[in-house]
């Protein structure tokens, strides 16, 4: 029988605007493997630099892999999670989505993590503030969500207390969906506010912002809105009124967290 408290928790998260990262933190706290929160080890995969470092895990580690959902899929970031290398390492999949649907994201993540040597023993889809329209999903995860996350953590516990191999979670969706058509979201830079601090280019998950001019390469940009999120002067903005109107119409009804074992 496994020693439930002997596992070290790692949070390996891609989260440009921190909604998914917050949900992953709540799950790590509820897992209660390490009672002291500082013992949960954070691996930030949001920037290219963070994804360039290879990490190797053992069977006595537990990895929470997290990412947001863009159009029902994982973010179109080349090599996402491929710097993580498991060795029969238990893994929990977590996606954060803006109250529409997560569609194929969990299935995609399971395929990647399984290929990387992980045992995907559970999966959870959490609602977080929407990237384009933060009013949608505002305050999520809320207290009701936290209760659901706690229930998920408790439901996972028997998997660690049963002798033998871990049971693998079944998740919905297509693990290899066709890529979504690229949507152009017009963005603006108010140069009267911009101090040319370089934070937006240094923080860009896709490397889409020119370091000297701060111009965005629309062919590389993944519309994650991190540049607007991190700018201390609020110099970045985006023009997506039609997109926000569609979201408000189609994502208004609150959804509940869903999880799989």
């Amino acid at each position: 029988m496994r020693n439930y408290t002997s596992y070290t928790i790692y949070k390996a998260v891609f989260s440009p605007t921190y909604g998914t990262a917050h949900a992953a933190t709540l799950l790590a706290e509820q897992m209660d493997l390490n009672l002291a929160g500082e013992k949960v080890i954070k691996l930030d995969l949001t920037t290219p630099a963070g994804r360039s470092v290879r990490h190797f895990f053992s069977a006595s580690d537990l990895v929470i892999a997290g990412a947001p959902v863009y159009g029902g899929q994982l973010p179109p970031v080349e090599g996402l999670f491929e710097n993580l290398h498991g060795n029969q390492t238990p893994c929990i999949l977590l996606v954060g989505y803006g109250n529409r649907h997560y569609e194929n994201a969990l299935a995609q993540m399971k395929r990647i993590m399984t290929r990387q040597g992980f045992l995907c023993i559970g999966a959870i889809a959490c609602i977080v503030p929407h990237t384009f329209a933060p009013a949608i999903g505002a305050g999520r995860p809320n207290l009701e969500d936290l209760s659901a996350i706690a229930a998920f953590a408790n439901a996972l516990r028997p998997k660690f207390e049963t002798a033998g191999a871990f049971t693998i979670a079944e998740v919905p969706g297509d693990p290899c969906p066709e890529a979504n058509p690229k949507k152009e979201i017009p963005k603006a830079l108010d140069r009267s506010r911009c101090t040319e601090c370089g934070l937006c280019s240094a923080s860009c998950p896709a490397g889409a912002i020119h370091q000297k001019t701060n111009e965005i390469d629309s062919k590389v940009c993944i519309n994650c809105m991190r540049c607007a999120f991190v700018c201390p002067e609020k110099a970045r903005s985006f023009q997506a009124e039609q997109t926000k109107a569609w979201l408000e119409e189609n994502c208004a009804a609150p959804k509940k967290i869903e999880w799989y074992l």
Side-chain angles (χ1 to χ4, degrees):
M1 183 174 293
R2 302 179 184 92
N3 182 354
Y4 184 69
T5 61
S6 68
Y7 287 81
T8 300
I9 296 180
Y10 290 82
K11 291 186 305 178
V13 181
F14 177 93
S15 185
T17 55
Y18 295 113
T20 303
H22 177 54
T25 296
L26 295 177
L27 176 58
E29 291 173 349
Q30 291 299 319
M31 287 302 298
D32 201 29
L33 297 179
N34 291 308
L35 296 178
E38 65 269 13
K39 291 185 179 179
V40 177
I41 300 172
K42 174 185 175 182
L43 304 177
D44 189 352
L45 308 182
T46 305
T47 64
R51 299 192 299 274
S52 68
V53 180
R54 299 172 71 190
H55 300 278
F56 297 86
F57 305 92
S58 72
S60 61
D61 296 322
L62 171 63
V63 174
I64 298 172
V69 179
Y70 295 164
Q73 299 185 16
L74 287 182
V77 176
E78 185 176 355
L80 183 60
F81 297 119
E82 292 182 0
N83 64 320
L84 309 180
H85 302 273
N87 182 10
Q88 298 294 296
T89 307
C91 174
I92 300 169
L93 312 175
L94 182 149
V95 295
Y97 69 105
N99 205 55
R100 188 185 70 82
H101 206 280
Y102 51 93
E103 295 176 326
N104 300 309
L106 285 175
Q108 288 178 287
M109 192 184 299
K110 181 181 177 182
R111 175 182 60 83
I112 295 170
M113 297 303 287
T114 299
R115 184 183 64 203
Q116 294 299 112
F118 293 88
L119 304 175
C120 300
I121 64 172
I124 186 169
C126 298
I127 296 87
V128 299
H130 198 283
T131 301
F132 297 147
I136 299 174
R140 309 286 299 271
N142 55 25
L143 289 176
E144 184 179 353
D145 296 327
L146 181 58
S147 178
I149 292 171
F152 173 59
N154 288 332
L156 282 167
R157 184 181 293 270
K159 292 199 175 194
F160 291 88
E161 297 175 342
T162 303
F166 281 107
T167 56
I168 304 302
E170 295 294 330
V171 301
D174 183 351
C176 299
E178 292 187 10
N180 287 326
K182 179 87 171 187
K183 290 184 178 180
E184 185 64 33
I185 306 295
K187 303 173 185 68
L189 173 61
D190 184 344
R191 294 196 177 274
S192 68
R193 287 176 171 268
C194 178
T195 62
E196 299 185 358
C197 67
L199 183 59
C200 60
S201 60
S203 301
C204 179
I209 303 177
H210 194 281
Q211 291 184 355
K212 292 184 178 180
T213 65
N214 288 325
E215 295 294 332
I216 297 176
D217 185 341
S218 61
K219 295 181 180 179
V220 180
C221 175
I222 62 172
N223 295 324
C224 70
M225 302 301 155
R226 182 166 176 88
C227 55
F229 183 81
V230 301
C231 180
E233 303 301 326
K234 307 300 180 185
R236 292 280 183 188
S237 61
F238 61 97
Q239 316 301 319
E241 295 307 319
Q242 290 182 337
T243 298
K244 286 190 285 187
W246 184 91
L247 289 169
E248 290 169 358
E249 180 180 352
N250 291 273
C251 307
K255 293 181 172 63
K256 293 185 178 181
I257 284 179
E258 296 181 356
W259 44 271
Y260 305 88
L261 297 174

